[in-house]
Amino acid sequence: MVKDSLELAARTNLTFTASQSSLSPWLWTPEHPNLYELEVEWRASGGQQLVDCWSHKVGYRTAEVRGQLFYLNGKPYWCRAADMPPYGYKPTDPEVARGFLQLMHDGNTTVTRSHCNPWNDLWYSAADEIGVGVCSEGVRP
């Protein structure tokens, strides 16, 4: 049945809208890495049959540069940054990711960079939970 729904969806244009007018989350900062569980469900017509679902922790924040200042959540923020941690050493080991990022954060380093080596979800999630911002620079040609 799920396969039939997926095949129908592949042949059909779908439109959806999501809104929440009273949302006022606590914003993510390195000092207070507030995260929320975002859950998305796709249900077949009528809403009874679950076709697919997905969940992920998310933090609400804004980041921008005005002139020579960096702003986090609309306030000037002084970035205490370091170069890339040893992501390539053990990219799938949660203890290495959490341990190194926690060590960075405890040492007052709250921003790092991926240095043309995008991380996997394990490292990005650990950084979000611990309170380390990541500049993800993409992939070298």
Side-chain angles (χ1 to χ4, degrees):
M1 193 72 154
V2 170
K3 182 180 177 193
D4 294 338
S5 296
L6 292 174
E7 288 174 1
L8 175 62
R11 298 187 309 261
T12 307
N13 290 330
L14 301 174
T15 303
F16 72 94
T17 303
S19 65
Q20 176 66 7
S21 60
S22 63
L23 188 66
S24 55
W26 291 339
L27 299 177
W28 183 98
T29 66
E31 296 77 23
H32 302 285
N34 298 303
L35 296 176
Y36 297 86
E37 191 73 25
L38 174 64
E39 297 178 351
V40 177
E41 292 184 351
W42 178 18
R43 295 190 173 271
S45 295
Q48 298 301 318
Q49 181 187 1
L50 181 64
V51 175
D52 199 3
C53 61
W54 176 84
S55 67
H56 193 72
K57 289 184 180 178
V58 298
Y60 294 93
R61 68 203 105 181
T62 62
E64 63 181 303
V65 174
R66 290 187 230 149
Q68 295 183 11
L69 294 178
F70 176 78
Y71 288 78
L72 179 63
N73 301 323
K75 298 176 184 169
Y77 190 83
W78 183 63
C79 296
R80 296 168 304 278
D83 206 356
M84 154 184 156
Y87 168 76
Y89 170 60
K90 289 188 176 180
T92 58
D93 187 333
E95 290 182 31
V96 170
R98 294 193 66 76
F100 195 86
L101 291 164
Q102 188 66 59
L103 183 65
M104 287 176 63
H105 190 272
D106 292 349
N108 205 25
T109 300
T110 56
V111 180
T112 189
R113 59 191 284 233
S114 67
H115 200 278
C116 300
N117 187 18
W119 295 357
N120 59 27
D121 282 344
L122 183 147
W123 278 71
Y124 283 122
S125 294
D128 250 0
E129 292 170 15
I130 291 167
V132 175
V134 180
C135 175
S136 184
E137 299 166 348
V139 180
R140 272 184 251 207

